[in-house]
């Protein structure tokens, strides 16, 4: 049936009602001319002029109601976004860029699953004149740890591992480990560990394992273990980590918070238990399911032009980091993320991603393990990850540490001790957090190493907190 002219609102009736008006002859609306029942065959449903006018009036009222409701809904959405004034946060980032303290950066904020700020500023690459974009790629370093911890939780949900399992169950060389202790005269000696290291210890950085920067750092460096960077290795991560149990660790298991190779070892365990590389496990169990299409250990050739350049802070400005071939320290270079061997998948610090992709991961955690109908973890697993797992250890400036995240707890009388925020960051001067009670996710990405205690994040975060109405 063709509807036109002033009677077009009858379209809505046809769409809404679960039946169709059967007429013997197609009714044509041309201006106000209507062919009526004199053409109708016996048994056909007939409407009088009064009935048609009533139908048109009802359709018009319905049409106006739909328009009104849509307008109210759109206004409410716009008001929700405008409620938050992010001009101070954006201005702060712009100022640091204008002063030559940063090349560029991206800020992402979501509230209750909706993006309320996605701001790219400055340059992705100053020397080639490429502007920073919302989909620019960043080396996220230790933000990788969140995905590896999630992978461990997936294996736990499937009954393949237990948190109190000794690491030696999967890597036998961990059966007996050593600890470096200081003697009264200031010298050091290696003593046996008091007990075996467990997966729980690794998840909470309480295994006593560092990054090889202690008093015996030369021995660690000789074993190829000095810092978190593995992208240059023509080895698997299991091969690269193999010498670690020949070296003494800084602290006894379960006695101190020591940041180090813990999550890389967990990544190796994921590979051993699952029979997949960490890259494949992430792709099939996490990033692929969440549509994180720009998250990978090594940048595909067709996306290389989106990788932001690395810069390093000096006393007065920033300098472009050298290519790996000209760098004394690969960590402070452009790295091997495009041209490297692509063999070592570092669960501690190996990924490249975007603000948008990482926001999807965090919103999955905010959603208690589910994002847009896709479930990665159970709510119980997310609760376990975001609960203080080492109350018996001083976690320094944090209120506690869960399975992969530093925790901030409420100081208010009514909610004292409740976790109000969890998050972490990366060595290239990136930061993120989730505030479950506020429904907020924040991601801030730059590429600056060393950062020399640059205060940009503290200032930007303070502005974001004011805009979002929490402390």
């Amino acid at each position: 049936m063709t509807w036109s002219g002033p009677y077009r609102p009858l379209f809505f009736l046809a769409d809404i009602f679960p039946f169709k008006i059967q007429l013997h002859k197609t009714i044509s609306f041309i201006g106000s001319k209507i062919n009526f029942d004199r053409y109708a065959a016996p048994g056909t449903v007939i409407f009088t002029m009064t009935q048609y006018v009533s139908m048109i009036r009802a359709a018009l009222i319905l049409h106006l109601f739909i328009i009104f409701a849509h307008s109210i809904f759109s206004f409410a959405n716009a008001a929700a976004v405008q409620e938050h004034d992010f001009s101070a946060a954006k201005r702060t980032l712009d100022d640091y860029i204008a002063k030559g303290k940063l090349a560029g950066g991206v800020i992402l904020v979501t509230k209750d699953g909706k993006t309320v700020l996605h701001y790219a500023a400055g340059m992705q690459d100053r020397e080639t004149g490429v502007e920073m974009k919302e989909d620019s790629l960043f080396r996220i370093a230790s933000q990788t740890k969140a995905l590896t911890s999630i992978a461990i939780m997936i294996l736990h949900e499937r009954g393949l591992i237990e948190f109190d399992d000794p690491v030696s169950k999967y890597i036998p060389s961990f059966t007996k480990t050593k600890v470096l202790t200081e003697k009264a005269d200031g010298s050091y000696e290696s003593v046996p560990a008091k007990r075996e290291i467990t997966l729980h210890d690794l998840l909470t950085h309480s295994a006593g394992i560092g990054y090889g920067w202690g008093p015996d750092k030369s021995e660690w460096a000789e074993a190829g273990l000095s810092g978190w960077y593995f992208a240059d290795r023509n080895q698997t991560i299991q091969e690269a980590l193999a010498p670690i149990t020949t070296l003494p660790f800084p602290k006894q298991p379960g006695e101190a918070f020591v940041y180090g190779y813990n999550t890389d070892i967990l990544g190796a365990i994921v590979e051993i238990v699952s029979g997949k590389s960490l890259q494949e496990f992430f792709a099939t169990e996490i990033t692929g399911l969440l549509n994180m299409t720009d998250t990978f250990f090594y940048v595909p050739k067709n996306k290389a032009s989106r990788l932001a350049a690395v810069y390093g802070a000096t006393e007065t400005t920033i300098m472009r980091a050298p290519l790996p071939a000209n760098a004394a320290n690969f960590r402070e270079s452009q790295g091997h993320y495009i041209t490297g061997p692509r063999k070592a998948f570092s669960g501690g610090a190996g990924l490249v991603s975007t603000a948008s992709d990482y926001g999807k991961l965090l919103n999955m955690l905010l959603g208690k393990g589910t994002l847009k109908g896709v479930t990665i973890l159970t709510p119980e697993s997310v609760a376990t990850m975001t609960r203080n797992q080492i109350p018996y250890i001083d976690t320094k400036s944090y209120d506690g540490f869960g399975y992969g995240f530093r925790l901030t707890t409420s100081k208010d009388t009514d909610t004292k001790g409740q976790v109000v925020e969890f998050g972490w960051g990366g060595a290239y001067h990136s930061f993120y957090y989730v505030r479950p009670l506020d429904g907020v996710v924040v991601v801030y990405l730059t590429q600056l190493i060393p950062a020399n205690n640059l205060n940009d994040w503290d200032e930007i975060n303070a502005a974001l907190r004011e805009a979002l109405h929490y402390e």
Side-chain angles (χ1 to χ4, degrees):
M1 185 175 296
T2 302
W3 307 88
S4 59
Y7 305 97
R8 188 174 179 81
L10 285 174
F11 264 132
F12 290 92
L13 291 177
D15 290 336
I16 294 169
F17 294 136
F19 60 86
K20 294 181 179 179
I21 301 170
Q22 300 294 321
L23 296 175
H24 174 69
K25 188 175 179 65
T26 300
I27 301 176
S28 298
F29 288 86
I30 304 173
S32 61
K33 295 176 114 182
I34 305 176
N35 293 322
F36 283 106
D37 58 323
R38 61 195 179 93
Y39 296 107
T44 302
V45 177
I46 302 301
F47 294 99
T48 67
M49 183 62 162
T50 301
Q51 289 173 320
Y52 273 109
V53 170
S54 298
M55 289 171 61
I56 292 168
R57 184 183 296 116
L60 284 169
I61 292 171
L62 179 59
H63 184 40
L64 290 172
F65 175 77
I66 291 170
I67 293 172
F68 176 75
H70 178 73
S71 298
I72 292 296
F73 181 76
S74 298
F75 178 78
N77 274 348
V81 174
Q82 293 172 5
E83 176 189 352
H84 308 294
D85 181 6
F86 294 108
S87 58
K90 294 191 287 186
R91 185 169 58 250
T92 301
L93 177 56
D94 291 340
D95 287 347
Y96 271 91
I97 293 167
K99 293 174 183 176
K101 301 292 187 181
L102 288 171
V106 176
I107 307 171
L108 174 72
V109 181
T110 69
K111 179 79 165 69
D112 300 325
K114 297 178 181 179
T115 300
V116 292
L117 176 66
H118 197 179
Y119 183 61
M123 305 300 290
Q124 176 182 294
D125 190 319
R126 295 197 311 182
E127 287 69 28
T128 61
V130 179
E131 293 184 351
M132 189 68 76
K133 300 180 181 66
E134 291 178 356
D135 69 344
S136 291
L137 295 167
F138 293 82
R139 304 156 190 80
I140 63 170
S142 287
Q143 291 186 208
T144 306
K145 290 178 170 65
L147 284 91
T148 305
S149 299
I150 289 168
I152 286 290
M153 301 306 293
I154 291 171
L155 295 179
H156 179 262
E157 286 184 4
R158 295 174 184 173
L160 299 175
I161 61 170
E162 296 296 337
F163 299 135
D164 59 358
D165 283 345
V167 177
S168 63
K169 180 176 178 179
Y170 310 101
I171 308 174
S173 63
F174 272 85
T175 300
K176 292 183 178 180
T177 57
K178 299 172 290 183
V179 176
L180 193 68
T181 60
E182 186 176 5
K183 297 195 292 186
D185 62 2
S187 62
Y188 291 85
E189 67 175 344
S190 177
V191 300
K194 294 177 183 178
R195 64 168 174 82
E196 287 200 44
I197 296 168
T198 66
L199 300 191
H200 169 86
D201 296 329
L202 295 178
L203 283 161
T204 54
H205 298 283
S206 61
I209 303 171
Y211 270 132
W213 293 332
D216 57 344
K217 61 183 179 181
S218 59
E219 287 85 353
W220 281 73
E222 188 176 343
L225 294 168
S226 179
W228 44 265
Y229 189 86
F230 288 97
D232 63 309
R233 301 298 187 88
N234 193 22
Q235 298 173 293
T236 66
I237 196 66
Q238 295 178 52
E239 292 169 340
L241 288 171
I244 198 167
T245 51
T246 67
L247 301 160
F249 300 147
K251 296 290 182 180
Q252 290 285 350
E255 295 186 2
F257 182 88
V258 183
Y259 196 59
Y261 289 112
N262 303 280
T263 319
D264 283 299
I265 298 167
L266 288 172
I269 290 171
V270 171
E271 292 188 337
I272 291 166
V273 174
S274 70
K276 301 177 180 178
S277 71
L278 195 60
Q279 174 178 254
E280 185 183 358
F281 190 93
F282 283 178
T284 57
E285 303 288 351
I286 305 172
T287 59
L289 299 178
L290 295 177
N291 197 30
M292 296 169 63
T293 56
D294 285 326
T295 301
F296 23 67
F297 285 98
Y298 299 100
V299 181
K301 294 296 196 302
N302 65 345
K303 297 187 178 185
S305 63
R306 292 166 48 199
L307 182 63
V310 179
Y311 294 85
T314 68
E315 290 185 5
T316 58
T317 186
I318 58 174
M319 299 290 290
R320 185 185 181 89
L323 294 172
N326 303 320
N329 179 351
F330 290 150
R331 294 189 301 276
E332 298 177 12
S333 75
Q334 297 301 324
H336 298 78
Y337 299 95
I338 295 175
T339 59
R342 299 173 177 251
K343 287 190 69 175
F345 305 124
S346 165
L351 285 175
V352 172
S353 190
T354 63
S356 178
D357 262 19
Y358 209 81
K360 293 174 184 176
L361 183 83
L362 299 181
N363 271 290
M364 178 274 291
L365 294 170
L366 179 64
K368 299 181 179 180
T370 298
L371 179 68
K372 294 182 178 179
V374 176
T375 297
I376 305 297
L377 295 174
T378 64
E380 291 76 18
S381 288
V382 176
T384 298
M385 295 183 77
T386 55
R387 181 170 59 244
N388 188 11
Q389 294 289 346
I390 45 174
Y392 48 87
I393 288 177
D394 179 9
T395 51
K396 303 173 183 177
S397 60
Y398 316 125
D399 292 338
F401 207 87
Y403 280 170
F405 309 105
R406 56 94 182 153
L407 307 176
T408 302
T409 57
S410 174
K411 308 302 185 293
D412 295 340
T413 303
D414 294 342
T415 57
K416 190 173 183 179
Q418 188 172 356
V419 173
V420 295
E421 183 176 300
F422 62 90
W424 201 239
Y428 294 97
H429 200 57
S430 62
F431 304 89
Y432 72 87
Y433 61 78
V434 177
R435 292 183 65 87
L437 301 182
D438 298 303
V440 169
V441 162
V442 173
V443 181
Y444 175 55
L445 300 179
T446 67
Q447 297 284 257
L448 188 69
I449 184 172
N452 289 357
N453 298 313
L454 196 67
N455 204 40
D456 57 318
W457 166 239
D458 289 339
E459 294 181 23
I460 289 170
N461 190 31
L464 292 175
R465 289 173 182 272
E466 184 173 349
L468 291 160
H469 314 301
Y470 58 78
E471 297 180 358

